[in-house]
Amino acid sequence: MSYATHEADEGHAREQVRARELVSSVAASFGAQLRGALNPSLAVATFIESGPLPTHEAVQRWFTRAAPALVITSLAIDSVQIAPYGHVAAIYPLVSARRNATGILLGGDPGGGHDLFNASSVLANRRQAAIQALTTQQLHVEGPKNLLSPLTTCIASANNICKYGQFALLSRVPLFASTTAAADPWSLGYRWAAAPGGPPLGPFTNVTGCDVVRSAATGASLCDTNATGDGRRFWGFFTIIVMWNQLLELAGIERLGTEYKWSIARSVETSDGTGAFPLVVV
């Protein structure tokens, strides 16, 4: 009996070690795949902050050329978006293997693309994450959450009930550019080229509700001239849509199989500072 118990204990210990090694391997792979999918943010931030004067016309030309290369950085990337002053103005690709219609998230406010700061939008839950990214001046990841699809139908009601699409992570990095002028030196009345069949977008010359976002350094709105205290002001956002199921597949989540009980949980940090508890997502 003593021998049998000893053997059982040793077997249990070996299984624990194996399980720890396996989950550590999958976790490391998940982290590497996620970092790879977020890498294009650095290229865009560098162009806006350190490249030529980032007029909207120049940025659209650059984005049109660069977006295909940014998307193929990772198989988990569904699309990339550029949003001057928080208005989604360009998306690549407009059509993908996962989306069979054009214009995702481009529609919205009259005279422009979807406003990430607009609290009255059916996508108002994006506002808190946009403000968080702008306040911290860091890349911010939402999700995994339901992604509104081009086929989304919204019922006109107090709750704006919508039909959602697939799960995705939304990575959003705030872009800042140098400026010394009080007037907007970037848009100059520029209208962004439209998606096929749609009207031109813009001009985008202001940010809805940006006054609530204040610089810790100066106390000024981050949309004001030199609000960061180092000669920069908010230019807009760059967003990467990372498909959740594809990310899990690339990370090798199937290696956990059915032999163990396992879960993936989000960290306790939330976009609006409330409801701080781990959220199991798988």
Side-chain angles (χ1 to χ4, degrees), residues 118-160:
N118 185 355
S120 65
S121 165
V122 294
L123 296 181
N125 59 345
R126 302 289 189 265
R127 175 179 168 80
Q128 285 290 348
I131 289 177
Q132 178 79 358
L134 185 50
T135 302
T136 61
Q137 300 181 45
Q138 295 178 347
L139 184 146
H140 185 271
V141 181
E142 285 184 89
K145 65 195 312 176
N146 277 314
L147 189 68
L148 282 175
S149 75
L151 305 180
T152 295
T153 55
C154 295
I155 302 172
S157 69
N159 297 322
N160 280 321

Side-chain angles (χ1 to χ4, degrees), residues 23 26-27 30 244 248 253 256-257 260-266 278-282:
V23 78
V26 172
F30 179 91
W244 179 244
L248 295 182
I253 201 74
L256 297 177
Y260 302 102
K261 293 181 179 179
W262 56 272
S263 65
I264 298 177
R266 211 160 49 194
L279 175 64
V280 175
V281 292
V282 176

